[in-house]
Amino acid sequence: MTNETLLRCRQELHTHLTTELLPFWTARTADHINGGFITHFDEYGNDSGEDEKSLIAQTRSIYTYASAHRAVYGNGALAELARHGVEYLLAKMWDTEHGGFYWMTNRKGEVLNDQKIVYGQSFAIYCLSEYTLATGDPRGVDYAQKVFDLLQKYGADTCYGGYFEVFDRQWTLSGPGAAGGNRKTLDAHMHLMEAFTALYECTRQPIHRRKLLEVINLLVGKIMHPIYGTGVPQFWADWRVAPQIKFDVIWGWDRFTEDGVKREAEDNTSYGHNAEFAWLLIHALSILEIPHETYFNQLQKALSHAADYGIDWEFGGVFVEGSHGGKVYDREKEFWQQAEVLIGFLDAYRLFGDEKYWRAYENVHRFVLDKMVNHEAGEWWPLMTRQGVPIWTHMSHSWKINYHTVRSVVQSIRRLDKLLTTR
């Protein structure tokens, strides 16, 4: 790896971000009639018409615009887009009676699903904290703290630790099984870590620091595999490993069998989640001012597993998932895994200095820019064959939004800049 290679990768990402990716979203996403964001687009970037605005898509969009503005892109226009999203979120999705944000509205802002789902609440904390950090508007952190307090009151499991995840409007825990009330997940707790990191960065309050450290230690001590350091997807309330099933309100799982049980349900891990967990932990430790060496073994195991078993050296890119021991199960290429390993491998190379991480980064970098980006539209294909042929063709819906792609490019550029200044 040379400075010339670093500069080439940086320039390719910067060009993609400023001429394709951000323009795709800024040109079409704001709903100037009803407020908030339109989030469903076909392969050509046309509004595909679904009458819904999900909490996850609205909050992730706010985060995207606020964080990109904070990274000094957009000449102020991205801050205005973030504010536009916050206005809708607070006016239409906040439950003024019971607190917390509704899971789903239609485009006009009428509530379609009034459940309180911790995965969505975590992104509310994340985006609203980032919004205040980016703009100084105190409404963001005010509501972020309200949600944080609600999670401690209703969501925290005071017996076994961690957080329950699915509640009705009044914050009554949902039933077992597919209703989700008796399960805990890697996905929700990992995103609580990123949310509490942003909240603590914004407030510097001891309670936010303490709860962030609790989630980190839970992830490392209970959720990541004790031998391989890889993410285990689902647990029972007492942290015994549970077979991965489909919840009635789905998140973190786009594909499943008809009976709702995952193949290899008790021995599967996501290469993308493992890299995402690692770089989010590195970032959290930086905000906490704790040396990353404190969690050296955990970080190295998660990132090494993704590089050693997840990279497709024949066709490029990172596979979807496999066993903890290294066997690959799903060789397709999904957009968000590519996005997260780009950041993770750059952090791994920067911290550990092992060339395998640079080779893994460059492999995925090339796959993304040569195959995964739909250059005619400007966004990434959601799902491809192993060889790089699109399977799904929409550019956006409630789950495939700008959060992973824009964040990946912004954060990758930041890490490439760090590498350039330290060589």
Side-chain angles (χ1 to χ4, degrees):
M1 191 270 288
T2 64
N3 277 5
E4 290 74 18
T5 305
L6 285 171
L7 285 167
R8 173 180 55 78
C9 289
R10 186 199 189 281
Q11 186 56 52
E12 286 179 335
L13 290 180
H14 187 269
T15 298
H16 171 51
L17 179 67
T18 56
T19 67
E20 294 179 324
L21 197 51
L22 284 174
F24 176 90
W25 295 102
T26 57
R28 53 176 52 81
T29 188
D31 183 343
H32 296 293
I33 298 173
N34 300 300
F37 302 115
I38 297 168
T39 56
H40 291 71
F41 301 103
D42 66 17
E43 65 182 291
Y44 306 106
N46 299 318
D47 181 358
S48 51
E50 285 85 347
D51 188 19
E52 66 177 43
K53 286 177 177 169
S54 69
L55 177 60
I56 198 67
Q58 299 300 308
T59 53
R60 284 178 165 183
S61 295
I62 293 166
Y63 171 83
T64 294
Y65 299 130
S67 63
H69 169 74
R70 195 175 168 205
V72 200
Y73 295 98
N75 296 315
L78 299 176
E80 179 57 27
L81 274 172
R83 184 203 61 77
H84 175 84
V86 168
E87 298 286 354
Y88 180 87
L89 188 69
L90 301 186
K92 299 294 186 180
M93 303 194 82
W94 178 256
D95 183 346
T96 58
E97 183 177 357
H98 299 287
F101 291 98
Y102 300 121
W103 182 249
M104 186 81 68
T105 68
N106 63 16
R107 291 199 181 195
K108 292 181 179 179
E110 299 163 335
V111 178
L112 300 179
N113 184 332
D114 63 9
Q115 285 180 277
K116 306 296 167 55
I117 296 176
V118 167
Y119 187 93
Q121 306 302 320
S122 74
F123 275 97
I125 296 172
Y126 190 40
C127 82
L128 290 167
S129 300
E130 185 71 20
Y131 172 69
T132 294
L133 286 165
T135 67
D137 185 339
R139 292 179 301 167
V141 71
D142 179 37
Y143 275 85
Q145 290 182 94
K146 289 179 180 179
V147 177
F148 173 87
D149 291 345
L150 287 164
L151 292 185
Q152 307 318 311
K153 182 177 181 179
Y154 295 113
D157 181 351
T158 57
C159 181
Y160 296 108
Y163 295 83
F164 294 110
E165 301 184 18
V166 187
F167 301 83
D168 68 12
R169 183 187 174 192
Q170 293 80 23
W171 291 96
T172 300
L173 187 63
S174 295
N182 65 339
R183 302 283 179 124
K184 295 172 182 173
T185 66
L186 160 66
D187 214 4
H189 285 80
M190 183 179 69
H191 290 301
L192 285 171
M193 175 174 68
E194 73 181 349
F196 292 176
T197 299
L199 181 60
Y200 176 62
E201 183 180 6
C202 196
T203 69
R204 298 294 173 175
Q205 289 188 16
I207 182 63
H208 300 148
R209 178 185 181 90
R210 192 171 86 239
K211 291 299 180 178
L212 172 56
L213 285 167
E214 283 182 10
V215 171
I216 288 172
N217 290 327
L218 187 66
L219 283 159
V220 173
K222 295 286 189 183
I223 295 177
M224 306 307 285
H225 196 285
I227 297 172
Y228 299 105
T230 45
V232 179
Q234 283 187 20
F235 298 84
W236 301 111
D238 62 2
W239 297 110
R240 289 175 296 124
V241 176
Q244 191 178 5
I245 63 169
K246 175 175 72 81
F247 294 160
D248 293 332
V249 176
I250 304 164
W251 65 88
W253 191 4
D254 290 312
R255 289 167 289 159
F256 43 82
T257 58
E258 290 183 3
D259 62 2
V261 178
K262 189 86 166 183
R263 184 173 68 89
E264 307 293 349
E266 295 186 60
D267 182 22
N268 69 90
T269 192
S270 162
Y271 306 110
H273 266 160
N274 294 334
E276 184 179 14
F277 159 78
W279 82 257
L280 288 172
L281 175 56
I282 291 166
H283 176 61
L285 295 173
S286 175
I287 297 301
L288 289 164
E289 299 181 334
I290 295 173
H292 74 270
E293 289 86 356
T294 307
Y295 293 93
F296 180 90
N297 289 337
Q298 174 60 70
L299 292 168
Q300 191 173 53
K301 284 181 178 181
L303 289 163
S304 184
H305 188 278
D308 291 343
Y309 302 114
I311 296 298
D312 185 345
W313 293 107
E314 183 175 359
F315 295 104
V318 66
F319 299 125
V320 171
E321 68 181 20
S323 72
H324 296 285
K327 181 180 179 182
V328 179
Y329 296 150
D330 188 338
R331 295 178 183 270
E332 292 173 342
K333 311 290 170 61
E334 200 163 8
F335 80 102
W336 70 265
Q337 283 100 338
Q338 317 303 314
E340 297 306 327
V341 301
L342 287 176
I343 310 171
F345 289 152
L346 285 176
D347 265 351
Y349 181 68
R350 186 170 58 87
L351 297 182
F352 304 140
D354 190 331
E355 287 289 333
K356 78 175 180 181
Y357 294 117
W358 176 257
R359 292 192 298 271
Y361 168 81
E362 199 166 18
N363 173 295
V364 180
H365 176 105
R366 283 267 55 85
F367 181 83
V368 166
L369 290 174
D370 293 347
K371 294 185 177 180
M372 185 143 268
V373 175
N374 176 3
H375 290 286
E376 291 187 12
E379 244 290 337
W380 300 15
W381 299 109
L383 182 69
M384 312 189 85
T385 66
R386 181 184 180 188
Q387 293 77 13
V389 178
I391 298 172
W392 296 342
T393 58
H394 56 271
M395 288 294 96
S396 176
H397 61 29
S398 283
W399 293 101
K400 200 275 183 184
I401 193 69
N402 44 32
Y403 153 77
H404 284 290
T405 56
V406 174
R407 185 175 72 168
S408 175
V409 178
V410 169
Q411 293 295 329
S412 294
I413 290 172
R414 181 172 292 163
R415 284 154 177 77
L416 289 166
D417 285 340
K418 287 182 179 180
L419 287 168
L420 283 163
T421 59
T422 56
R423 286 178 64 80

